[in-house]
Amino acid sequence: MVLISDIREKGRAFIADLVEEMDPKADGESAYVLIERLYPICRSITGNGVRRSLRLLRETIPLALREVVSDTPVFDWTVPDEWNIRDAYIMNQAGERVVDFRKSNLHLLNYSVPINRIMSLAELRAHLFSIPAAPDWIPYRTSYYHKNWGFCLTQHQLDKLEEGEYHVYIDSTLHPGHLTYGEFRIQGETDDEVLISCHSCHPSLCNDNLSGMVVGARLAARLQNLSLRYSYRFLWVPGTIGSITWLALNETILSRIKHGLVLSCMGDPGNFTYKRSRRGDADIDRAVGHVLSHSRREFNVLDFTPVGYDERQYCSPGINLPVGSLMRTPNGCYPQYHTSADDLSLVTASALGESLLQLFCVVQVLEENRRYVNLNQKGEPQLGRRGLYRQMGGGKDTAAMEMALLWVLNFSDGRNDLLDIAIRSGIPFKQISRAAAALQTAGLLGAAASEPDACED
Amino acid sequence: MVLISDIREKGRAFIADLVEEMDPKADGESAYVLIERLYPICRSITGNGVRRSLRLLRETIPLALREVVSDTPVFDWTVPDEWNIRDAYIMNQAGERVVDFRKSNLHLLNYSVPINRIMSLAELRAHLFSIPAAPDWIPYRTSYYHKNWGFCLTQHQLDKLEEGEYHVYIDSTLHPGHLTYGEFRIQGETDDEVLISCHSCHPSLCNDNLSGMVVGARLAARLQNLSLRYSYRFLWVPGTIGSITWLALNETILSRIKHGLVLSCMGDPGNFTYKRSRRGDADIDRAVGHVLSHSRREFNVLDFTPVGYDERQYCSPGINLPVGSLMRTPNGCYPQYHTSADDLSLVTASALGESLLQLFCVVQVLEENRRYVNLNQKGEPQLGRRGLYRQMGGGKDTAAMEMALLWVLNFSDGRNDLLDIAIRSGIPFKQISRAAAALQTAGLLGAAASEPDACED
Amino acid sequence: MVLISDIREKGRAFIADLVEEMDPKADGESAYVLIERLYPICRSITGNGVRRSLRLLRETIPLALREVVSDTPVFDWTVPDEWNIRDAYIMNQAGERVVDFRKSNLHLLNYSVPINRIMSLAELRAHLFSIPAAPDWIPYRTSYYHKNWGFCLTQHQLDKLEEGEYHVYIDSTLHPGHLTYGEFRIQGETDDEVLISCHSCHPSLCNDNLSGMVVGARLAARLQNLSLRYSYRFLWVPGTIGSITWLALNETILSRIKHGLVLSCMGDPGNFTYKRSRRGDADIDRAVGHVLSHSRREFNVLDFTPVGYDERQYCSPGINLPVGSLMRTPNGCYPQYHTSADDLSLVTASALGESLLQLFCVVQVLEENRRYVNLNQKGEPQLGRRGLYRQMGGGKDTAAMEMALLWVLNFSDGRNDLLDIAIRSGIPFKQISRAAAALQTAGLLGAAASEPDACED
């Protein structure tokens, strides 16, 4: 095989080369370093934290920052006012910041309105949130669409608060402004698109979802230099309102989206979990299921549910895009979820690298999957005289490549695509795809004329 | 929620209220008391025992007694002569009744023709039936369509019979008369009907099928005061000939029957068993399966077989109604089946009450199940500003009600009914139904225009 | 039942009689004796070994030997030159035959070109094949389409070869001639055919596939005297090239083949394995699956794969016949496969007999399977007055025959054939078929008019 380094000079590298050459460790470490830098920033569904985060990703890929003005109607919603935060604390009578936004941005109820008041602990309590069962962790709470203020703190902190008066200070603004999201598009051979989306609104939480943000960015960085059949669109959008906004503003191009994935929780060392698109049998569902089945790890495939992240919007009934959701341990299924314990120790470079590798393999399936027609359907063609078959029979083992050739020939009847054949045979897609290429070269396989008649089966 | 007692005065109570209010214990005890009273009566497929039993049920509900004259042709059958029994015994030479109908009506081969003869034990033996493996139990045997006479006795009784002569006396009549069945109909909002059928021909046997007879009666009693969408038709018919007779005489209205259940063996404490209709995927099949899956007990669902009770007739190929069969331990699967041990000790008030509760839940599904259309299918609608969603995000648990709302919205695309959504989500139907009501009130859900195009999927 | 011996005189015996009467032991022993006689012959894909073997089978059935001239184009292939072998050995300097074709024809790489040379062990080594992991066994190797020569020997033999010069002698010919195959056809009531094919090219290997060859011959011998609905065509063809040749020369009649089986590995005592046709749901797939499910043994059913024996050709996409593959332990799944240990000790008379019995049962299903229509579809017909039902009800056990009657009646709605009903009910096909016959006699069942509308379901 030609090395990607050789090809790139000629301007032609393909996803298959990338999959062969990829070093998950190196890619994973680049991703981890990016998470470390993004971690301290206080993100939300709008505001400067998001802008800073997206600009930081621009070091990796030249994504565009899109600004959508507050109050823009987007389907059933309107873009909210922009929220920005400078400082926030609860100060005791001794002048000590007993809860301090500067120590962790999770301490603040995200989207808190400003306040600057002295109040009793009794009054304050209604605005304090802790996790009694995990007394060392700060919970993550938000109040985007209901004006409120509050602080999140560890149970230990809460227990230590003495009766008395406290100075409650939140220096935030909530004014008409913009909702900001990131977008990056790679033009492929066709305008048909693969959509990769991740939510970018969580503050200092690593797995959910800095991991998705950086894995998306690394994937984009690696794909941008390849010769691609599909165009790829990457989105970094605030959860729910971001995907709704993007969908509402881009309705006319939705029909171009042929496959899509929402990425979240990509950095913990747990097994992979794939949640199918609402359609349930989309190509992306078959592709990810197949790739994970050859990942040498346990994995879970779940049917679509309308609970989760932005797949809820991409798969709302009136949109119904073929968009699935790839995760490692899913949201809500690890104890650190939505707490301060979802920190830099929960995610690992090797988990991030492995996530990227699976994504490359999925992209390879999407890029190389096609329906072919065996040009010699009566009996097997004689592979031996074409150099495609072992010269000597009777050995106990039929080599894997020969199996792949026979599978591709037998099932390339115009109905099955290569992914169907890979799934049915249990042979990894890339081997099936390689066999198809060899058979094409030998003149035994041709492109299928058009889409199969779904009713003909 | 408004209490059923309040509503009833205004003439409007619904099945949902009944399900909430129901006291399975009280209902079960009423049912048990009814079984105690019915137990001594000698029923058969015709005759006064059936009439007495049905009149006793009229204390609970105003059912009609239908009389069909002997020799009436009903499909491939004809209504048999009417059988009545006054007394029967085997008397030994000492003048003792060694087998006595007055002690148990099971002692008589049901439908025995009259006899009054002295004969040797040798001659008598061909007419005696016992269960060697259960020597304390009297078997239950019949000879409806082949003229015969006989006695059933315990193996112990049989073993004690000494050689010699016996006076065999059966004071029965078998003459042209009538076949009697019970029928009760509740008119609902529409003429579409739910059929509830149970066989009423077994003599002193409790689980099979006094339990079905009284559970049917209690169900009817509870439904008759409700505001119902469907009309409900209850039948108490002799097995096989009774359902065939009813079908033959009511062929023109069969198309109104949208759902149906045969009730038998409802009183033993075993797990529930549901036997699907011949169609296998009828609404009633999905409804009962769903209800049992949330009953907090193990349960069995079996495919239709043409062996069993009257579902054989309702599901004969030329009738093929959507009628399933609900049981606890199925006929033939408990040792006491068709013996004198199927007595008052086998059935319990709590089992009867629990059976009724499942039936109420099934009725709720049938009554409330509909297809709706999400009126806002692009993205999720903003539930928060409509007061349908928690105000504050980020908590670990999405409340059950919010989940139900999201499921109903996402899958109310005009194809799925609420039961589909309940099954797919694993959320109990009543919660799904409640969510649908809330969404309707909020203007987010409308009725689906018409039946979905089956091919459109 | 009338005995086959009685009927045969009148010229009318049916497969049902054969299944009842068959003595698997006797049939198995006949098959084993045949294997013993065929075992020493050196077969290949062409040549006199095949001719001798087929002539030996003519003692059992009057099969035809077909000769196809070398170089005949057959689909993508051409019939190869004919290979014949007289003698072959490797002789050491002491004049001893250290590897000797006369001791086992497996010693020769099958289809070796002639050679007569002195060479060093070093040069010879590239042409020697052994199995280090099974040092007592000679491997079986071929080189049909790539001109080569070689010897197969045990690892022990190989280890003993001392450095030095060897006389390598192969007295073979490879000249234009013929490809020979055997064909036998039994004309049934219709021209619709059942195809039974086995490969006849392996030299001294018993299970693979003398077992298939003799089981096919015994099956043919037994069927030829029966009154049959289908015509039966038996083929003994060299693997791959033989089935391709037959298909290419008989393309016009392929549409007559309604069912088919490839037989191989029929003689080892392992469990049965059935590999489905490419269609996956052909009648033959359902028939064999059903028969094996009642064989009182564990068994495996595998989906079609394009790896195996001649089902690869019969199920190539442009041919796609409903041909499955019946085996005991499949090729490649027993350690002796393609070695000298696949000898007379691996196959047993009882395994061969049992294989034959399953085939008879499959033939019974194919012969007797039909769609019928219940002529009385509303309610059950009254079986009692037709003598088809026990006279007295209430007994715990419904006899198996009565169950079969009810199943046939309920599901004979013009859509289900008897095999569907057997599979659905779990009742053996022959009992279902017997029930159908009884119901026909009673005027309750008629032949279904025509094929069911596949879309009507």
Side-chain angles (χ1 to χ4, degrees):
Chain A
M1 188 177 38
V2 185
L3 285 181
I4 200 170
S5 45
D6 302 331
I7 297 180
R8 198 168 289 159
E9 288 164 28
K10 287 177 269 162
R12 302 275 292 169
F14 296 91
I15 182 66
D17 308 302
L18 184 58
V19 167
E20 288 301 322
E21 278 205 347
M22 187 207 172
D23 175 359
K25 195 162 176 296
D27 266 288
E29 276 161 15
S30 302
Y32 189 85
V33 167
L34 212 44
I35 287 182
E36 286 181 311
R37 294 176 62 200
L38 289 161
Y39 181 57
I41 302 173
C42 181
R43 280 163 297 277
S44 184
I45 57 173
T46 63
N48 291 323
V50 176
R51 287 190 191 94
R52 276 181 59 201
S53 300
L54 295 176
R55 282 194 199 110
L56 209 149
L57 291 183
R58 294 186 72 165
E59 296 175 21
T60 301
I61 35 146
L63 62 84
L65 269 69
R66 309 285 188 206
E67 301 280 353
V68 184
V69 71
S70 297
D71 241 18
T72 302
V74 286
F75 295 151
D76 189 55
W77 303 59
T78 51
V79 172
D81 281 350
E82 179 176 331
W83 181 73
N84 281 293
I85 176 71
R86 270 177 299 267
D87 196 8
Y89 55 79
I90 301 171
M91 190 176 281
N92 64 13
Q93 284 164 301
E96 296 160 339
R97 290 183 164 209
V98 292
V99 180
D100 186 355
F101 173 76
R102 294 177 315 193
K103 289 197 180 150
S104 167
N105 55 49
L106 295 180
H107 275 314
L108 186 67
L109 176 73
N110 200 292
Y111 247 64
S112 280
V113 294
I115 189 167
N116 186 4
R117 280 219 294 123
I118 309 294
M119 65 182 72
S120 67
L121 179 59
E123 190 184 352
L124 179 55
R125 271 190 197 283
H127 294 266
L128 298 182
F129 307 97
S130 66
I131 313 169
D136 291 322
W137 297 352
I138 309 164
Y140 160 58
R141 305 295 287 272
T142 68
S143 189
Y144 299 138
Y145 302 103
H146 174 70
K147 285 188 183 174
N148 197 359
W149 62 267
F151 286 86
C152 301
L153 66 175
T154 69
Q155 185 63 32
H156 289 319
Q157 281 178 302
L158 182 59
D159 293 343
K160 276 189 215 140
L161 294 187
E162 292 171 8
E163 291 306 319
E165 305 243 293
Y166 287 91
H167 181 193
V168 178
Y169 179 76
I170 301 177
D171 182 12
S172 65
T173 56
L174 185 57
H175 296 312
H178 294 83
L179 175 152
T180 311
Y181 68 84
E183 186 164 18
F184 179 63
R185 189 172 178 283
I186 304 170
Q187 178 66 44
E189 199 184 305
T190 70
D191 286 338
D192 287 346
E193 287 193 6
V194 178
L195 176 71
I196 306 289
S197 176
C198 52
H199 60 279
S200 55
C201 51
H202 284 34
S204 291
L205 296 166
C206 284
N207 200 32
D208 177 21
N209 190 30
L210 290 176
S211 69
M213 289 173 69
V214 303
V215 164
R218 291 298 314 160
L219 178 64
R222 293 297 242 143
L223 294 187
Q224 66 182 334
N225 295 317
L226 299 183
S227 285
L228 294 164
R229 170 188 177 192
Y230 285 106
S231 297
Y232 287 76
R233 186 184 299 265
F234 295 81
L235 296 178
W236 293 262
V237 287
T240 306
I241 186 65
S243 49
I244 286 173
T245 296
W246 186 85
L247 286 166
L249 301 183
N250 291 276
E251 237 188 307
T252 55
I253 63 159
L254 298 185
S255 63
R256 290 189 206 157
I257 298 177
K258 304 305 179 193
H259 318 284
L261 280 176
V262 167
L263 305 182
S264 70
C265 305
M266 305 295 287
D268 71 283
N271 290 329
F272 286 98
T273 299
Y274 178 67
K275 179 175 154 187
R276 291 192 183 97
S277 75
R278 185 176 183 273
R279 301 182 185 184
D281 61 351
D283 286 354
I284 187 70
D285 300 321
R286 297 186 303 129
V288 179
H290 174 74
V291 165
L292 293 183
S293 76
H294 288 279
S295 67
R296 291 160 195 263
R297 289 181 66 117
E298 297 282 309
F299 67 98
N300 296 305
V301 176
L302 309 174
D303 276 329
F304 175 75
T305 69
V307 182
Y309 284 120
D310 287 320
E311 67 277 11
R312 289 157 58 167
Q313 314 310 327
Y314 299 124
C315 297
S316 55
I319 303 292
N320 206 21
L321 288 172
V323 172
S325 172
L326 186 62
M327 300 161 279
R328 300 186 72 111
T329 309
N331 52 308
C333 296
Y334 52 96
Q336 304 92 334
Y337 173 73
H338 276 195
T339 77
S340 56
D342 182 354
D343 63 12
L344 288 165
S345 70
L346 180 62
V347 299
T348 70
S350 85
L352 292 162
E354 199 189 13
S355 297
L356 266 163
L357 178 58
Q358 304 310 317
L359 286 168
F360 291 153
C361 292
V362 169
V363 169
Q364 180 175 14
V365 174
L366 300 179
E367 287 285 314
E368 296 181 4
N369 190 33
R370 273 176 183 73
R371 276 183 310 108
Y372 291 99
V373 178
N374 176 344
L375 299 174
N376 206 311
Q377 300 201 6
K378 294 180 181 174
E380 288 171 8
Q382 195 176 8
L383 298 178
R385 69 171 146 89
R386 293 175 175 95
L388 291 171
Y389 210 66
R390 63 204 154 142
Q391 299 298 339
M392 204 176 313
K396 276 199 183 187
D397 304 313
T398 304
M401 184 57 175
E402 290 165 6
M403 297 250 283
L405 293 168
L406 294 175
W407 276 98
V408 172
L409 283 168
N410 195 294
F411 287 96
S412 289
D413 56 2
R415 284 179 194 161
N416 301 293
D417 59 24
L418 296 183
L419 180 54
D420 291 323
I421 299 171
I423 291 169
R424 179 158 180 166
S425 66
I427 298 171
F429 178 87
K430 65 182 176 187
Q431 199 151 342
I432 291 291
S433 183
R434 227 178 273 148
L439 290 167
Q440 266 196 300
T441 304
L444 289 171
L445 208 62
S450 62
E451 287 307 303
D453 182 348
C455 290
E456 209 178 357
D457 205 78
Chain B
M1 187 177 39
V2 184
L3 285 182
I4 201 170
S5 44
D6 303 329
I7 297 179
R8 199 169 288 159
E9 289 163 28
K10 288 177 269 162
R12 301 277 291 170
F14 295 91
I15 182 67
D17 307 303
L18 185 58
V19 167
E20 289 300 322
E21 278 204 348
M22 187 205 172
D23 174 1
K25 194 163 176 296
D27 266 289
E29 275 161 15
S30 304
Y32 189 84
V33 167
L34 213 43
I35 288 181
E36 284 180 314
R37 296 176 62 200
L38 290 161
Y39 180 58
I41 303 171
C42 182
R43 281 161 297 276
S44 183
I45 57 172
T46 62
N48 292 322
V50 175
R51 287 189 192 94
R52 277 181 60 202
S53 301
L54 295 176
R55 282 193 200 112
L56 210 149
L57 290 183
R58 292 185 73 164
E59 296 174 20
T60 302
I61 35 150
L63 61 82
L65 269 70
R66 309 285 190 206
E67 300 280 354
V68 184
V69 71
S70 298
D71 242 18
T72 302
V74 285
F75 295 150
D76 189 56
W77 302 60
T78 51
V79 172
D81 281 350
E82 180 175 331
W83 182 74
N84 281 293
I85 176 72
R86 271 177 299 266
D87 195 7
Y89 55 79
I90 301 170
M91 190 176 279
N92 64 13
Q93 285 162 301
E96 297 161 336
R97 291 183 165 210
V98 294
V99 179
D100 187 354
F101 173 75
R102 294 178 313 194
K103 289 196 180 152
S104 167
N105 56 47
L106 295 180
H107 275 313
L108 186 68
L109 177 72
N110 200 293
Y111 247 66
S112 279
V113 294
I115 190 166
N116 186 3
R117 279 219 295 127
I118 310 293
M119 65 181 71
S120 68
L121 179 58
E123 189 183 352
L124 180 54
R125 274 191 195 282
H127 295 267
L128 299 181
F129 307 98
S130 66
I131 314 168
D136 291 321
W137 297 352
I138 309 163
Y140 160 58
R141 304 294 288 268
T142 69
S143 188
Y144 299 137
Y145 302 102
H146 174 69
K147 286 188 182 173
N148 197 359
W149 63 267
F151 286 86
C152 302
L153 65 174
T154 68
Q155 185 63 33
H156 289 319
Q157 282 178 302
L158 183 59
D159 293 343
K160 276 188 214 139
L161 294 186
E162 290 171 8
E163 292 305 320
E165 304 244 294
Y166 288 89
H167 180 192
V168 177
Y169 179 76
I170 299 177
D171 181 10
S172 65
T173 56
L174 185 58
H175 297 312
H178 294 83
L179 175 152
T180 310
Y181 67 86
E183 186 164 18
F184 179 61
R185 188 171 180 282
I186 304 169
Q187 177 67 44
E189 196 184 309
T190 70
D191 287 339
D192 287 347
E193 288 192 6
V194 178
L195 178 72
I196 306 290
S197 177
C198 51
H199 61 278
S200 55
C201 50
H202 285 34
S204 291
L205 296 166
C206 285
N207 200 32
D208 179 19
N209 191 28
L210 290 176
S211 69
M213 289 173 69
V214 304
V215 164
R218 291 299 313 160
L219 178 64
R222 294 296 241 144
L223 293 187
Q224 66 181 336
N225 295 315
L226 300 182
S227 284
L228 295 164
R229 169 186 177 191
Y230 285 106
S231 297
Y232 286 76
R233 187 183 299 267
F234 295 81
L235 296 176
W236 292 262
V237 288
T240 304
I241 186 64
S243 49
I244 286 173
T245 297
W246 187 85
L247 286 166
L249 300 182
N250 291 276
E251 236 187 310
T252 55
I253 63 157
L254 298 184
S255 62
R256 290 189 207 157
I257 297 177
K258 303 305 178 194
H259 319 284
L261 281 176
V262 168
L263 304 183
S264 71
C265 305
M266 306 295 287
D268 71 283
N271 290 330
F272 286 99
T273 300
Y274 177 67
K275 178 176 153 186
R276 290 192 183 97
S277 75
R278 184 177 185 271
R279 300 182 185 184
D281 61 352
D283 286 353
I284 187 68
D285 302 320
R286 296 186 304 130
V288 180
H290 174 73
V291 165
L292 293 182
S293 75
H294 288 278
S295 67
R296 291 159 195 266
R297 288 181 66 116
E298 297 282 309
F299 67 98
N300 296 304
V301 176
L302 310 174
D303 276 329
F304 176 75
T305 69
V307 181
Y309 284 120
D310 287 319
E311 68 276 12
R312 288 156 61 168
Q313 313 310 326
Y314 299 123
C315 298
S316 56
I319 304 292
N320 205 21
L321 288 173
V323 173
S325 173
L326 186 63
M327 301 161 279
R328 299 186 71 112
T329 308
N331 51 309
C333 296
Y334 53 97
Q336 304 93 333
Y337 174 73
H338 277 196
T339 77
S340 56
D342 182 354
D343 62 13
L344 288 165
S345 71
L346 180 62
V347 298
T348 69
S350 84
L352 292 162
E354 198 189 16
S355 297
L356 266 163
L357 177 58
Q358 304 310 317
L359 287 168
F360 290 153
C361 292
V362 169
V363 169
Q364 180 175 15
V365 175
L366 299 179
E367 287 286 313
E368 297 182 2
N369 189 32
R370 273 176 183 74
R371 278 183 306 107
Y372 290 100
V373 177
N374 176 344
L375 300 174
N376 205 311
Q377 300 201 5
K378 292 180 182 173
E380 289 172 6
Q382 195 177 6
L383 298 178
R385 69 170 146 91
R386 294 174 176 93
L388 291 171
Y389 210 66
R390 62 200 155 145
Q391 299 299 338
M392 203 177 314
K396 275 198 184 185
D397 304 312
T398 304
M401 183 58 176
E402 291 164 6
M403 297 248 285
L405 293 168
L406 294 175
W407 276 98
V408 172
L409 283 169
N410 195 293
F411 287 97
S412 287
D413 56 2
R415 284 176 197 164
N416 300 293
D417 59 24
L418 295 183
L419 181 54
D420 291 323
I421 298 172
I423 291 169
R424 179 158 181 169
S425 66
I427 298 171
F429 178 87
K430 64 181 175 187
Q431 199 151 343
I432 291 291
S433 184
R434 227 178 275 149
L439 291 166
Q440 265 196 301
T441 303
L444 289 171
L445 209 62
S450 63
E451 287 307 303
D453 182 348
C455 292
E456 208 179 355
D457 206 79
Chain C
M1 187 179 35
V2 186
L3 284 181
I4 202 168
S5 44
D6 304 331
I7 296 179
R8 198 169 288 158
E9 289 165 27
K10 290 177 268 163
R12 301 278 292 170
F14 296 90
I15 181 69
D17 308 302
L18 184 58
V19 167
E20 288 302 321
E21 278 205 347
M22 187 206 174
D23 175 0
K25 194 164 175 297
D27 265 289
E29 275 161 14
S30 304
Y32 189 85
V33 167
L34 213 44
I35 288 181
E36 286 181 312
R37 295 176 61 202
L38 288 161
Y39 180 58
I41 303 171
C42 182
R43 283 163 296 278
S44 185
I45 57 172
T46 63
N48 292 323
V50 176
R51 288 189 191 94
R52 277 180 60 202
S53 301
L54 294 176
R55 281 192 201 111
L56 210 149
L57 290 184
R58 293 186 71 164
E59 296 175 19
T60 302
I61 35 149
L63 63 83
L65 269 68
R66 310 285 189 206
E67 301 279 354
V68 183
V69 71
S70 297
D71 241 19
T72 303
V74 286
F75 294 150
D76 188 57
W77 303 59
T78 52
V79 172
D81 281 350
E82 179 176 330
W83 181 73
N84 280 294
I85 177 70
R86 272 178 297 265
D87 195 9
Y89 56 79
I90 300 171
M91 189 177 279
N92 65 12
Q93 283 164 304
E96 298 161 335
R97 289 181 168 213
V98 292
V99 179
D100 186 357
F101 173 76
R102 296 178 312 195
K103 291 196 177 149
S104 166
N105 55 49
L106 294 180
H107 275 312
L108 187 65
L109 176 73
N110 201 294
Y111 247 65
S112 279
V113 295
I115 189 168
N116 186 4
R117 280 220 293 122
I118 310 292
M119 64 182 74
S120 68
L121 180 58
E123 189 183 355
L124 179 53
R125 273 191 195 280
H127 294 266
L128 298 182
F129 307 98
S130 67
I131 314 169
D136 290 322
W137 297 353
I138 310 164
Y140 160 58
R141 305 295 288 268
T142 68
S143 190
Y144 300 138
Y145 302 102
H146 173 70
K147 286 188 181 175
N148 196 359
W149 63 266
F151 286 87
C152 301
L153 66 174
T154 70
Q155 185 63 31
H156 289 319
Q157 282 179 302
L158 183 59
D159 293 343
K160 277 189 213 139
L161 293 187
E162 291 172 7
E163 292 304 321
E165 304 243 293
Y166 289 90
H167 180 192
V168 177
Y169 180 75
I170 300 177
D171 182 12
S172 65
T173 57
L174 186 57
H175 297 312
H178 294 83
L179 175 152
T180 311
Y181 68 85
E183 186 164 18
F184 180 62
R185 189 172 177 284
I186 305 171
Q187 178 66 44
E189 198 184 307
T190 69
D191 287 339
D192 287 346
E193 288 192 5
V194 178
L195 176 72
I196 306 289
S197 177
C198 53
H199 61 277
S200 56
C201 50
H202 285 34
S204 292
L205 297 166
C206 284
N207 201 32
D208 176 21
N209 186 30
L210 290 176
S211 69
M213 289 174 69
V214 304
V215 164
R218 292 297 314 159
L219 177 65
R222 295 295 242 142
L223 294 187
Q224 67 181 336
N225 295 318
L226 300 182
S227 283
L228 294 165
R229 167 186 177 194
Y230 285 105
S231 297
Y232 287 76
R233 185 183 300 267
F234 295 81
L235 295 178
W236 293 261
V237 288
T240 304
I241 186 65
S243 49
I244 286 173
T245 296
W246 186 85
L247 285 166
L249 300 183
N250 291 276
E251 236 187 309
T252 55
I253 64 158
L254 298 185
S255 63
R256 291 188 206 159
I257 298 177
K258 303 304 180 195
H259 319 284
L261 281 176
V262 167
L263 305 182
S264 70
C265 305
M266 305 295 287
D268 71 285
N271 291 329
F272 286 99
T273 300
Y274 177 66
K275 178 176 153 184
R276 292 193 183 97
S277 75
R278 186 177 184 272
R279 299 182 186 185
D281 61 352
D283 286 353
I284 187 70
D285 301 320
R286 295 186 306 130
V288 180
H290 174 73
V291 165
L292 294 182
S293 75
H294 288 279
S295 66
R296 291 158 195 266
R297 290 181 63 117
E298 297 281 309
F299 66 99
N300 296 305
V301 176
L302 310 174
D303 276 329
F304 175 76
T305 69
V307 182
Y309 284 120
D310 287 320
E311 68 276 11
R312 289 157 58 167
Q313 313 310 326
Y314 299 124
C315 297
S316 57
I319 303 292
N320 204 21
L321 288 173
V323 173
S325 173
L326 186 63
M327 302 162 277
R328 299 188 71 111
T329 308
N331 53 308
C333 296
Y334 51 96
Q336 305 92 334
Y337 174 73
H338 277 195
T339 77
S340 56
D342 181 354
D343 62 13
L344 288 165
S345 71
L346 179 62
V347 297
T348 72
S350 85
L352 292 161
E354 199 189 14
S355 297
L356 267 163
L357 178 57
Q358 303 312 316
L359 286 168
F360 291 154
C361 292
V362 169
V363 169
Q364 180 175 13
V365 175
L366 299 179
E367 286 286 313
E368 297 181 3
N369 190 32
R370 273 176 184 75
R371 276 182 309 108
Y372 290 100
V373 177
N374 177 345
L375 299 175
N376 205 313
Q377 300 201 5
K378 294 179 181 175
E380 287 172 7
Q382 195 176 9
L383 298 177
R385 68 170 147 88
R386 294 175 174 93
L388 291 170
Y389 210 65
R390 61 198 157 146
Q391 298 298 338
M392 203 176 314
K396 275 200 187 186
D397 304 314
T398 304
M401 183 58 175
E402 291 165 5
M403 297 250 284
L405 292 169
L406 295 175
W407 276 99
V408 171
L409 283 169
N410 195 293
F411 288 96
S412 288
D413 56 2
R415 284 178 196 162
N416 301 293
D417 58 24
L418 296 183
L419 180 53
D420 290 324
I421 299 172
I423 290 169
R424 180 158 178 168
S425 67
I427 298 171
F429 178 87
K430 65 181 173 187
Q431 198 151 343
I432 291 292
S433 184
R434 228 178 273 148
L439 290 168
Q440 267 197 300
T441 304
L444 288 171
L445 209 60
S450 62
E451 286 308 303
D453 182 346
C455 291
E456 210 179 353
D457 206 80

